[in-house]
Coordinates of all heavy atoms in Angstrom, one line a residue:
M22 N -23.2 -31.3 1.3 CA -22.8 -31.5 -0.1 C -23.8 -30.8 -1.0 O -23.4 -30.1 -1.9 CB -22.8 -33.0 -0.3 CG -22.6 -33.4 -1.8 SD -20.9 -33.1 -2.2 CE -20.9 -33.9 -3.8
A23 N -25.1 -30.9 -0.7 CA -26.1 -30.3 -1.5 C -26.0 -28.8 -1.5 O -26.2 -28.1 -2.5 CB -27.5 -30.7 -1.1
H24 N -25.7 -28.2 -0.3 CA -25.6 -26.8 -0.2 C -24.4 -26.3 -1.1 O -24.5 -25.3 -1.8 CB -25.4 -26.4 1.2 CG -25.2 -24.9 1.4 ND1 -26.3 -24.0 1.2 CD2 -24.1 -24.2 1.7 CE1 -25.8 -22.8 1.4 NE2 -24.5 -22.9 1.7
A25 N -23.3 -27.0 -1.1 CA -22.1 -26.6 -1.9 C -22.4 -26.7 -3.3 O -22.0 -25.9 -4.1 CB -20.9 -27.5 -1.5
Q26 N -23.1 -27.8 -3.7 CA -23.5 -28.0 -5.1 C -24.4 -26.9 -5.6 O -24.2 -26.3 -6.7 CB -24.1 -29.3 -5.4 CG -24.2 -29.7 -6.8 CD -24.6 -31.2 -7.0 OE1 -25.3 -31.7 -6.2 NE2 -24.1 -31.8 -8.1
R27 N -25.4 -26.5 -4.8 CA -26.3 -25.5 -5.2 C -25.6 -24.1 -5.3 O -25.8 -23.4 -6.2 CB -27.4 -25.4 -4.1 CG -28.5 -24.4 -4.4 CD -29.6 -24.4 -3.3 NE -30.9 -24.0 -3.7 CZ -31.2 -22.7 -3.9 NH1 -30.4 -21.8 -3.7 NH2 -32.5 -22.4 -4.2
A28 N -24.7 -23.8 -4.4 CA -23.9 -22.6 -4.4 C -23.0 -22.6 -5.7 O -22.9 -21.5 -6.3 CB -23.1 -22.5 -3.2
A29 N -22.5 -23.7 -6.0 CA -21.6 -23.7 -7.2 C -22.4 -23.5 -8.5 O -22.0 -22.7 -9.4 CB -20.9 -25.1 -7.3
I30 N -23.6 -24.0 -8.5 CA -24.5 -23.8 -9.7 C -24.9 -22.3 -9.8 O -24.8 -21.7 -10.9 CB -25.7 -24.7 -9.6 CG1 -25.3 -26.2 -9.8 CG2 -26.8 -24.3 -10.7 CD1 -26.4 -27.2 -9.5
Q31 N -25.3 -21.7 -8.7 CA -25.7 -20.3 -8.7 C -24.5 -19.4 -9.1 O -24.7 -18.5 -9.8 CB -26.2 -19.9 -7.3 CG -27.6 -20.5 -7.0 CD -28.0 -20.2 -5.6 OE1 -27.2 -20.2 -4.6 NE2 -29.3 -20.0 -5.4
S32 N -23.3 -19.7 -8.6 CA -22.2 -19.0 -8.9 C -21.8 -19.1 -10.4 O -21.5 -18.1 -11.1 CB -21.0 -19.4 -8.1 OG -19.8 -18.8 -8.5
A33 N -21.9 -20.3 -11.0 CA -21.6 -20.5 -12.4 C -22.6 -19.7 -13.2 O -22.3 -19.2 -14.3 CB -21.6 -22.0 -12.7
L34 N -23.9 -19.7 -12.8 CA -24.9 -19.0 -13.5 C -24.6 -17.5 -13.5 O -24.7 -16.8 -14.6 CB -26.3 -19.3 -13.0 CG -26.9 -20.7 -13.3 CD1 -28.1 -20.9 -12.4 CD2 -27.3 -20.8 -14.7
R35 N -24.3 -17.0 -12.4 CA -24.0 -15.5 -12.3 C -22.8 -15.2 -13.2 O -22.8 -14.2 -13.9 CB -23.7 -15.1 -10.8 CG -24.9 -14.6 -10.1 CD -24.5 -14.0 -8.8 NE -23.7 -14.8 -8.0 CZ -24.0 -15.8 -7.2 NH1 -25.3 -16.1 -7.1 NH2 -23.2 -16.4 -6.4
L36 N -21.7 -16.0 -13.1 CA -20.5 -15.7 -13.8 C -20.7 -15.8 -15.3 O -20.0 -15.1 -16.1 CB -19.4 -16.6 -13.3 CG -18.8 -16.3 -11.9 CD1 -17.9 -17.4 -11.5 CD2 -18.2 -15.0 -11.9
S37 N -21.6 -16.6 -15.7 CA -21.8 -16.8 -17.2 C -22.9 -15.9 -17.7 O -23.3 -16.0 -18.8 CB -22.2 -18.3 -17.5 OG -23.5 -18.6 -16.9
G38 N -23.4 -15.0 -16.8 CA -24.5 -14.1 -17.3 C -25.8 -14.8 -17.5 O -26.6 -14.5 -18.4
Y39 N -26.0 -15.9 -16.7 CA -27.2 -16.7 -16.8 C -27.3 -17.4 -18.2 O -28.4 -17.8 -18.6 CB -28.5 -15.9 -16.5 CG -28.4 -15.5 -15.0 CD1 -27.9 -14.2 -14.7 CD2 -28.8 -16.3 -14.0 CE1 -27.8 -13.8 -13.4 CE2 -28.7 -15.9 -12.7 CZ -28.2 -14.7 -12.4 OH -28.1 -14.3 -11.1
N40 N -26.2 -17.6 -18.8 CA -26.1 -18.4 -20.1 C -26.0 -19.9 -19.6 O -25.0 -20.3 -19.1 CB -25.0 -18.0 -20.9 CG -24.8 -18.8 -22.2 OD1 -25.2 -20.0 -22.2 ND2 -24.4 -18.1 -23.2
L41 N -27.0 -20.7 -19.8 CA -27.1 -22.0 -19.3 C -26.0 -22.9 -19.9 O -25.4 -23.7 -19.2 CB -28.4 -22.6 -19.5 CG -29.6 -21.9 -18.7 CD1 -30.9 -22.5 -19.1 CD2 -29.3 -21.9 -17.3
S42 N -25.7 -22.8 -21.2 CA -24.7 -23.6 -21.9 C -23.3 -23.2 -21.3 O -22.5 -24.1 -21.0 CB -24.7 -23.3 -23.4 OG -25.9 -23.8 -23.9
A43 N -23.0 -21.9 -21.1 CA -21.7 -21.5 -20.6 C -21.6 -22.0 -19.1 O -20.5 -22.4 -18.7 CB -21.6 -20.0 -20.7
A44 N -22.7 -21.9 -18.4 CA -22.6 -22.3 -17.0 C -22.4 -23.8 -16.9 O -21.6 -24.3 -16.0 CB -23.9 -22.0 -16.3
A45 N -23.0 -24.6 -17.8 CA -22.8 -26.1 -17.8 C -21.3 -26.4 -18.1 O -20.7 -27.2 -17.5 CB -23.7 -26.7 -18.8
D46 N -20.8 -25.6 -19.1 CA -19.4 -25.8 -19.5 C -18.4 -25.5 -18.3 O -17.5 -26.2 -18.0 CB -19.0 -24.9 -20.7 CG -19.6 -25.4 -22.0 OD1 -20.0 -26.6 -22.0 OD2 -19.6 -24.7 -22.9
R47 N -18.8 -24.4 -17.6 CA -18.0 -24.0 -16.4 C -18.0 -25.0 -15.3 O -17.0 -25.3 -14.7 CB -18.5 -22.6 -15.9 CG -17.7 -22.1 -14.8 CD -18.3 -20.7 -14.4 NE -18.1 -19.7 -15.4 CZ -17.1 -18.9 -15.4 NH1 -16.1 -19.1 -14.6 NH2 -17.0 -18.0 -16.3
L48 N -19.1 -25.7 -15.2 CA -19.3 -26.7 -14.1 C -18.8 -28.1 -14.6 O -18.7 -29.0 -13.8 CB -20.7 -26.8 -13.7 CG -21.3 -25.6 -13.0 CD1 -22.8 -25.7 -12.9 CD2 -20.7 -25.5 -11.6
R49 N -18.5 -28.2 -15.9 CA -18.1 -29.4 -16.6 C -19.1 -30.5 -16.4 O -18.8 -31.7 -16.1 CB -16.7 -29.9 -16.0 CG -15.6 -28.9 -16.3 CD -14.3 -29.4 -15.8 NE -13.3 -28.4 -16.1 CZ -12.1 -28.5 -15.8 NH1 -11.6 -29.6 -15.2 NH2 -11.2 -27.5 -16.1
I50 N -20.4 -30.1 -16.7 CA -21.5 -31.1 -16.7 C -22.3 -30.8 -18.0 O -22.1 -29.7 -18.6 CB -22.4 -30.9 -15.5 CG1 -23.0 -29.5 -15.4 CG2 -21.7 -31.3 -14.2 CD1 -24.0 -29.4 -14.2
G51 N -23.1 -31.7 -18.3 CA -24.0 -31.5 -19.5 C -25.1 -30.5 -19.2 O -25.5 -30.3 -18.1
R52 N -25.6 -29.9 -20.3 CA -26.7 -29.0 -20.2 C -27.9 -29.6 -19.5 O -28.6 -29.0 -18.7 CB -27.0 -28.4 -21.5 CG -26.9 -26.9 -21.6 CD -27.3 -26.3 -22.9 NE -28.2 -27.1 -23.7 CZ -28.0 -27.4 -25.0 NH1 -26.9 -26.9 -25.6 NH2 -28.8 -28.1 -25.6
T53 N -28.2 -30.8 -20.0 CA -29.4 -31.5 -19.4 C -29.2 -31.7 -17.9 O -30.2 -31.6 -17.2 CB -29.6 -32.9 -20.2 OG1 -29.6 -32.6 -21.6 CG2 -30.8 -33.6 -19.7
T54 N -28.0 -32.1 -17.5 CA -27.8 -32.3 -16.1 C -28.0 -31.0 -15.3 O -28.5 -31.0 -14.2 CB -26.4 -32.8 -15.9 OG1 -26.2 -34.1 -16.6 CG2 -26.1 -33.1 -14.4
L55 N -27.5 -29.9 -15.9 CA -27.7 -28.6 -15.3 C -29.2 -28.3 -15.1 O -29.6 -27.8 -14.1 CB -27.0 -27.5 -16.1 CG -27.1 -26.1 -15.5 CD1 -26.6 -26.0 -14.1 CD2 -26.4 -25.1 -16.4
Y56 N -30.0 -28.5 -16.2 CA -31.4 -28.3 -16.1 C -32.0 -29.1 -15.0 O -32.8 -28.6 -14.2 CB -32.1 -28.6 -17.4 CG -31.8 -27.8 -18.6 CD1 -31.5 -28.3 -19.8 CD2 -31.7 -26.4 -18.5 CE1 -31.2 -27.5 -20.9 CE2 -31.4 -25.6 -19.6 CZ -31.1 -26.2 -20.8 OH -30.8 -25.4 -21.9
R57 N -31.6 -30.3 -14.9 CA -32.2 -31.2 -13.8 C -31.8 -30.7 -12.4 O -32.6 -30.7 -11.5 CB -31.6 -32.6 -14.0 CG -32.2 -33.6 -13.0 CD -31.7 -35.0 -13.3 NE -30.2 -35.1 -13.3 CZ -29.4 -35.1 -12.3 NH1 -29.9 -34.9 -11.1 NH2 -28.1 -35.2 -12.4
L58 N -30.5 -30.3 -12.3 CA -30.1 -29.8 -11.0 C -30.8 -28.5 -10.6 O -31.1 -28.2 -9.4 CB -28.6 -29.6 -11.0 CG -27.8 -30.9 -11.0 CD1 -26.3 -30.7 -11.2 CD2 -28.0 -31.7 -9.7
I59 N -31.0 -27.6 -11.6 CA -31.7 -26.3 -11.3 C -33.1 -26.7 -10.8 O -33.6 -26.0 -9.9 CB -31.8 -25.5 -12.6 CG1 -30.4 -24.9 -12.9 CG2 -32.8 -24.4 -12.5 CD1 -30.3 -24.1 -14.2
D60 N -33.8 -27.6 -11.4 CA -35.1 -28.0 -11.0 C -35.0 -28.7 -9.6 O -35.9 -28.4 -8.7 CB -35.8 -29.0 -11.9 CG -36.3 -28.3 -13.2 OD1 -36.4 -27.1 -13.2 OD2 -36.4 -29.1 -14.2
Q61 N -34.1 -29.5 -9.4 CA -33.9 -30.3 -8.1 C -33.7 -29.3 -7.0 O -34.3 -29.4 -5.9 CB -32.7 -31.2 -8.2 CG -32.5 -32.0 -6.9 CD -31.3 -32.9 -7.1 OE1 -30.9 -33.3 -8.2 NE2 -30.7 -33.3 -6.0
Y62 N -32.8 -28.3 -7.1 CA -32.5 -27.4 -6.1 C -33.4 -26.1 -6.1 O -33.3 -25.2 -5.3 CB -31.1 -26.9 -6.2 CG -30.1 -28.0 -5.9 CD1 -29.1 -28.4 -6.8 CD2 -30.2 -28.7 -4.7 CE1 -28.2 -29.4 -6.5 CE2 -29.3 -29.8 -4.4 CZ -28.3 -30.1 -5.3 OH -27.4 -31.1 -5.1
E63 N -34.4 -26.1 -7.0 CA -35.4 -25.1 -7.1 C -34.7 -23.7 -7.2 O -35.1 -22.7 -6.5 CB -36.4 -25.1 -5.9 CG -37.2 -26.4 -5.9 CD -38.1 -26.5 -4.7 OE1 -38.0 -25.6 -3.8 OE2 -38.8 -27.5 -4.6
I64 N -33.7 -23.6 -8.1 CA -33.0 -22.3 -8.3 C -33.9 -21.5 -9.3 O -34.3 -22.0 -10.3 CB -31.6 -22.6 -8.9 CG1 -30.8 -23.4 -7.9 CG2 -31.0 -21.3 -9.3 CD1 -29.5 -23.9 -8.5
K65 N -34.2 -20.3 -8.8 CA -35.1 -19.4 -9.6 C -34.3 -18.2 -10.1 O -33.5 -17.7 -9.5 CB -36.2 -18.9 -8.7 CG -37.1 -20.0 -8.1 CD -37.9 -20.7 -9.1 CE -38.8 -21.7 -8.4 NZ -39.2 -22.8 -9.2
F66 N -34.5 -17.9 -11.4 CA -34.0 -16.7 -12.0 C -35.0 -16.3 -13.1 O -35.5 -17.2 -13.7 CB -32.6 -16.8 -12.4 CG -32.3 -17.9 -13.4 CD1 -32.4 -17.6 -14.8 CD2 -32.0 -19.1 -13.0 CE1 -32.2 -18.6 -15.7 CE2 -31.7 -20.1 -13.9 CZ -31.8 -19.9 -15.2
D67 N -35.2 -15.1 -13.3 CA -36.2 -14.6 -14.3 C -35.5 -14.2 -15.6 O -34.2 -14.1 -15.6 CB -37.1 -13.5 -13.8 CG -36.3 -12.3 -13.3 OD1 -35.0 -12.3 -13.4 OD2 -36.9 -11.3 -12.9
E68 N -36.2 -14.0 -16.6 CA -35.7 -13.6 -17.9 C -34.9 -12.3 -17.8 O -33.9 -12.1 -18.5 CB -36.8 -13.5 -19.0 CG -37.2 -14.9 -19.5 CD -36.1 -15.7 -20.1 OE1 -35.4 -15.1 -21.0 OE2 -35.9 -16.8 -19.8
E69 N -35.4 -11.4 -16.9 CA -34.7 -10.1 -16.8 C -33.3 -10.3 -16.3 O -32.4 -9.6 -16.7 CB -35.5 -9.2 -15.8 CG -35.0 -7.8 -15.8 CD -35.2 -7.1 -17.2 OE1 -36.1 -7.4 -17.9 OE2 -34.3 -6.2 -17.5
A70 N -33.1 -11.2 -15.4 CA -31.8 -11.5 -14.8 C -30.9 -12.1 -16.0 O -29.7 -11.8 -16.0 CB -31.8 -12.5 -13.7
R71 N -31.5 -12.9 -16.8 CA -30.7 -13.5 -17.9 C -30.3 -12.4 -18.9 O -29.2 -12.4 -19.4 CB -31.5 -14.5 -18.7 CG -31.7 -15.8 -17.9 CD -32.4 -16.8 -18.7 NE -31.4 -17.4 -19.6 CZ -31.7 -18.4 -20.4 NH1 -32.9 -18.9 -20.5 NH2 -30.7 -18.9 -21.2
R72 N -31.1 -11.4 -19.2 CA -30.8 -10.3 -20.1 C -29.8 -9.3 -19.5 O -29.0 -8.8 -20.2 CB -32.1 -9.6 -20.5 CG -32.9 -10.4 -21.5 CD -34.0 -9.5 -22.0 NE -35.1 -10.4 -22.3 CZ -36.3 -10.4 -21.7 NH1 -36.6 -9.5 -20.8 NH2 -37.2 -11.3 -22.1
S73 N -29.9 -9.1 -18.2 CA -29.0 -8.1 -17.6 C -27.8 -8.7 -17.0 O -27.1 -8.1 -16.2 CB -29.8 -7.3 -16.5 OG -30.1 -8.2 -15.5
G74 N -27.5 -10.0 -17.3 CA -26.4 -10.7 -16.7 C -25.0 -10.1 -17.2 O -25.0 -9.0 -17.7
A75 N -24.0 -10.9 -17.0 CA -22.7 -10.4 -17.4 C -22.6 -10.1 -18.9 O -23.3 -10.8 -19.7 CB -21.7 -11.5 -17.0
P76 N -21.9 -9.1 -19.2 CA -21.7 -8.8 -20.7 C -21.1 -9.9 -21.4 O -20.2 -10.6 -20.9 CB -20.9 -7.5 -20.7 CG -20.1 -7.5 -19.4 CD -21.0 -8.3 -18.4
R77 N -21.5 -10.0 -22.7 CA -20.9 -11.1 -23.5 C -19.5 -10.7 -23.9 O -19.3 -9.6 -24.2 CB -21.8 -11.3 -24.7 CG -23.1 -11.9 -24.4 CD -23.9 -12.2 -25.7 NE -25.2 -12.7 -25.3 CZ -25.7 -13.8 -25.8 NH1 -25.0 -14.5 -26.7 NH2 -26.8 -14.2 -25.4
R78 N -18.7 -11.7 -23.9 CA -17.3 -11.4 -24.3 C -17.2 -11.5 -25.7 O -17.7 -12.5 -26.4 CB -16.4 -12.4 -23.6 CG -16.3 -12.2 -22.1 CD -15.3 -13.2 -21.5 NE -15.5 -13.3 -20.1 CZ -15.1 -14.3 -19.4 NH1 -14.6 -15.3 -19.9 NH2 -15.3 -14.3 -18.1
R79 N -16.4 -10.6 -26.3 CA -16.1 -10.8 -27.7 C -14.9 -11.6 -27.9 O -14.0 -11.6 -27.1 CB -15.8 -9.4 -28.3 CG -17.1 -8.5 -28.4 CD -16.8 -7.3 -29.1 NE -18.0 -6.5 -29.2 CZ -18.0 -5.3 -29.6 NH1 -16.9 -4.6 -29.9 NH2 -19.2 -4.6 -29.6
R80 N -15.0 -12.5 -28.9 CA -13.8 -13.3 -29.2 C -12.7 -12.5 -29.7 O -12.9 -11.7 -30.7 CB -14.2 -14.4 -30.2 CG -15.1 -15.4 -29.6 CD -15.3 -16.5 -30.5 NE -16.3 -17.5 -29.9 CZ -16.6 -18.6 -30.5 NH1 -16.1 -18.9 -31.7 NH2 -17.4 -19.4 -29.9
S81 N -11.5 -12.7 -29.2 CA -10.4 -11.9 -29.7 C -9.9 -12.6 -31.0 O -10.0 -13.8 -31.1 CB -9.3 -11.9 -28.7 OG -8.8 -13.2 -28.4
V82 N -9.4 -11.8 -31.9 CA -8.9 -12.4 -33.1 C -7.5 -13.0 -32.8 O -6.6 -12.3 -32.4 CB -8.7 -11.3 -34.2 CG1 -8.1 -11.8 -35.4 CG2 -10.1 -10.6 -34.5
A83 N -7.5 -14.3 -33.0 CA -6.2 -15.0 -32.6 C -5.2 -14.8 -33.7 O -5.5 -14.8 -34.9 CB -6.5 -16.5 -32.5
K84 N -4.0 -14.5 -33.3 CA -2.9 -14.4 -34.3 C -2.6 -15.8 -34.8 O -3.0 -16.8 -34.1 CB -1.7 -13.7 -33.7 CG -2.1 -12.3 -33.2 CD -0.9 -11.6 -32.8 CE -1.4 -10.2 -32.4 NZ -0.4 -9.3 -32.2
S85 N -1.9 -15.9 -35.8 CA -1.7 -17.3 -36.3 C -0.9 -18.1 -35.3 O 0.1 -17.7 -34.8 CB -0.9 -17.2 -37.6 OG 0.4 -16.8 -37.4
Q86 N -1.6 -19.2 -34.9 CA -1.0 -20.1 -34.0 C -0.7 -21.4 -34.7 O -1.6 -21.9 -35.4 CB -1.9 -20.3 -32.8 CG -2.2 -19.0 -32.0 CD -3.1 -19.3 -30.9 OE1 -3.7 -20.3 -30.8 NE2 -3.3 -18.3 -30.1
P87 N 0.4 -22.0 -34.4 CA 0.7 -23.3 -35.1 C -0.1 -24.4 -34.5 O -0.5 -24.3 -33.3 CB 2.2 -23.5 -34.9 CG 2.5 -22.7 -33.6 CD 1.5 -21.5 -33.7
R88 N -0.4 -25.3 -35.3 CA -1.1 -26.5 -34.8 C -0.4 -27.7 -35.4 O 0.3 -27.6 -36.5 CB -2.6 -26.5 -35.1 CG -2.9 -26.6 -36.6 CD -4.4 -26.6 -36.8 NE -4.7 -26.5 -38.2 CZ -5.0 -27.5 -39.0 NH1 -5.0 -28.7 -38.5 NH2 -5.3 -27.3 -40.3
V89 N -0.6 -28.9 -34.8 CA 0.1 -30.1 -35.3 C -1.0 -30.9 -35.9 O -2.1 -31.1 -35.4 CB 0.8 -30.8 -34.1 CG1 1.4 -32.1 -34.6 CG2 1.8 -29.9 -33.5
T90 N -0.7 -31.5 -37.1 CA -1.6 -32.3 -37.8 C -0.9 -33.6 -38.3 O 0.3 -33.6 -38.5 CB -2.2 -31.5 -39.0 OG1 -3.6 -31.7 -39.1 CG2 -1.6 -31.9 -40.3
L91 N -1.6 -34.7 -38.3 CA -1.1 -36.0 -38.7 C -1.6 -36.3 -40.1 O -2.8 -36.3 -40.4 CB -1.6 -37.1 -37.7 CG -1.1 -38.5 -38.0 CD1 0.4 -38.6 -37.8 CD2 -1.9 -39.5 -37.1
V92 N -0.6 -36.5 -41.0 CA -0.9 -36.9 -42.4 C -0.1 -38.1 -42.8 O 1.1 -38.0 -42.7 CB -0.6 -35.7 -43.3 CG1 -0.9 -36.1 -44.8 CG2 -1.4 -34.4 -42.9
D93 N -0.8 -39.1 -43.1 CA -0.1 -40.4 -43.6 C 1.0 -40.8 -42.6 O 2.1 -41.2 -43.0 CB 0.5 -40.2 -45.0 CG -0.5 -39.9 -46.0 OD1 -1.6 -40.5 -45.9 OD2 -0.2 -39.2 -47.0
G94 N 0.7 -40.8 -41.3 CA 1.6 -41.3 -40.3 C 2.7 -40.3 -39.9 O 3.6 -40.6 -39.1
N95 N 2.7 -39.1 -40.5 CA 3.7 -38.1 -40.2 C 3.1 -36.9 -39.6 O 2.0 -36.5 -40.0 CB 4.5 -37.7 -41.4 CG 5.3 -38.8 -42.0 OD1 6.0 -39.5 -41.3 ND2 5.2 -39.0 -43.3
W96 N 3.8 -36.3 -38.5 CA 3.3 -35.1 -37.9 C 3.8 -33.9 -38.6 O 5.0 -33.8 -38.8 CB 3.6 -35.2 -36.4 CG 2.9 -36.2 -35.6 CD1 3.4 -37.4 -35.3 CD2 1.6 -36.1 -35.1 NE1 2.4 -38.1 -34.6 CE2 1.3 -37.4 -34.5 CE3 0.6 -35.2 -35.1 CZ2 0.1 -37.6 -33.9 CZ3 -0.6 -35.4 -34.5 CH2 -0.8 -36.7 -33.9
Y97 N 3.0 -32.9 -38.8 CA 3.4 -31.7 -39.5 C 2.9 -30.5 -38.6 O 1.8 -30.5 -38.1 CB 2.8 -31.5 -40.9 CG 3.3 -32.6 -41.8 CD1 2.6 -33.7 -42.1 CD2 4.5 -32.4 -42.5 CE1 3.0 -34.7 -42.9 CE2 5.0 -33.3 -43.4 CZ 4.2 -34.5 -43.6 OH 4.7 -35.4 -44.5
L98 N 3.8 -29.5 -38.5 CA 3.4 -28.2 -37.9 C 2.9 -27.3 -38.9 O 3.5 -27.0 -39.9 CB 4.7 -27.6 -37.3 CG 4.5 -26.4 -36.4 CD1 3.6 -26.8 -35.2 CD2 5.8 -25.9 -35.9
V99 N 1.6 -26.9 -38.7 CA 0.9 -26.1 -39.7 C 0.5 -24.8 -39.1 O 0.0 -24.7 -38.0 CB -0.4 -26.8 -40.2 CG1 -1.2 -26.0 -41.2 CG2 -0.1 -28.2 -40.7
E100 N 0.8 -23.7 -39.8 CA 0.5 -22.3 -39.3 C -1.0 -22.1 -39.7 O -1.4 -22.3 -40.9 CB 1.3 -21.3 -40.0 CG 2.8 -21.3 -39.6 CD 3.0 -20.8 -38.2 OE1 2.2 -19.9 -37.7 OE2 3.9 -21.3 -37.5
Q101 N -1.8 -21.6 -38.7 CA -3.2 -21.3 -39.0 C -3.2 -19.8 -39.4 O -2.6 -19.0 -38.8 CB -4.0 -21.5 -37.8 CG -4.3 -23.0 -37.5 CD -5.2 -23.2 -36.3 OE1 -5.2 -22.3 -35.4 NE2 -5.9 -24.2 -36.3
R102 N -4.0 -19.6 -40.4 CA -4.2 -18.2 -40.8 C -5.5 -17.6 -40.1 O -6.4 -18.4 -39.7 CB -4.4 -18.1 -42.3 CG -3.2 -18.5 -43.1 CD -3.4 -18.4 -44.5 NE -4.3 -19.5 -44.9 CZ -4.9 -19.6 -46.1 NH1 -4.8 -18.7 -47.0 NH2 -5.7 -20.6 -46.3
D103 N -5.5 -16.3 -39.9 CA -6.6 -15.7 -39.2 C -7.8 -15.7 -40.2 O -7.7 -15.9 -41.4 CB -6.3 -14.3 -38.6 CG -5.9 -13.3 -39.7 OD1 -5.8 -13.7 -40.9 OD2 -5.8 -12.2 -39.4
S104 N -9.0 -15.4 -39.7 CA -10.2 -15.5 -40.5 C -10.2 -14.4 -41.6 O -10.7 -14.7 -42.7 CB -11.5 -15.2 -39.6 OG -11.4 -14.0 -39.0
A105 N -9.6 -13.3 -41.5 CA -9.5 -12.3 -42.6 C -8.7 -12.8 -43.7 O -9.0 -12.6 -44.9 CB -8.9 -11.0 -42.0
A106 N -7.6 -13.5 -43.4 CA -6.8 -14.0 -44.5 C -7.5 -15.2 -45.2 O -7.3 -15.4 -46.4 CB -5.4 -14.5 -43.9
R107 N -8.3 -15.9 -44.5 CA -9.0 -17.0 -45.1 C -10.1 -16.5 -46.2 O -10.3 -17.2 -47.2 CB -9.8 -17.9 -44.1 CG -8.9 -18.8 -43.3 CD -9.6 -19.6 -42.4 NE -8.9 -19.7 -41.2 CZ -9.3 -20.0 -40.0 NH1 -10.6 -20.2 -39.8 NH2 -8.6 -20.0 -38.9
R108 N -10.7 -15.4 -45.9 CA -11.7 -14.8 -46.8 C -11.0 -14.3 -48.0 O -11.7 -14.2 -49.1 CB -12.5 -13.8 -46.1 CG -13.5 -14.3 -45.1 CD -14.3 -13.2 -44.5 NE -14.1 -13.3 -43.1 CZ -13.9 -12.3 -42.3 NH1 -13.9 -11.0 -42.8 NH2 -13.7 -12.4 -41.0
A109 N -9.8 -13.9 -48.0 CA -9.1 -13.2 -49.1 C -8.8 -14.2 -50.2 O -8.8 -15.4 -50.1 CB -7.9 -12.5 -48.6

C-alpha cells in the first residue's frame, strides 16, 4: 500500500510540473496532507525540477456557457459573458 501511495504522489508531482497545489488537487487531498506524505515517504525533488517541470497550461477563454442560478425560490438560466465583454 505504501509503495502504491508513494508512486501516486510522485506521478502527480511530475504531471503537475512539481506544483504542490496542483498535485494535491490531482490526488484529491489537502496541501498539508501532501506535505506530510512527502516528508513521510522522503520524496526528494529540487527547485530545478520544479522550475523545469511540465509547462504551465494557459486557461482557454471560455465561450459563454449558461449557468443556473436560484433567485427567490425560482431557477433561472443565465448566460455568462466572457471576460472581455465584462470589461467593456
Side-chain angles (χ1 to χ4, degrees):
M22 175 76 171
H24 179 70
Q26 194 172 31
R27 186 179 205 280
I30 292 168
Q31 288 174 323
S32 176
L34 286 167
R35 267 192 310 278
L36 291 172
S37 68
Y39 296 93
N40 179 326
L41 298 176
S42 295
D46 287 343
R47 184 178 290 274
L48 293 166
R49 296 183 182 179
I50 60 175
R52 239 182 23 229
T53 306
T54 302
L55 178 60
Y56 294 137
R57 183 180 51 78
L58 290 172
I59 287 172
D60 286 341
Q61 178 181 338
Y62 293 125
E63 298 175 356
I64 297 172
K65 303 290 183 205
F66 56 91
D67 57 1
E68 283 300 312
E69 191 62 34
R71 291 185 77 177
R72 285 190 210 113
S73 66
R77 294 185 181 232
R78 294 184 195 157
R79 292 186 177 170
R80 291 186 181 183
S81 61
V82 177
K84 298 189 180 191
S85 69
Q86 296 178 354
R88 66 181 173 95
V89 178
T90 225
L91 179 65
V92 177
D93 295 328
N95 295 313
W96 291 98
Y97 295 95
L98 187 63
V99 180
E100 291 288 328
Q101 288 183 330
R102 295 180 288 169
D103 62 355
S104 59
R107 283 184 221 158
R108 283 185 241 136

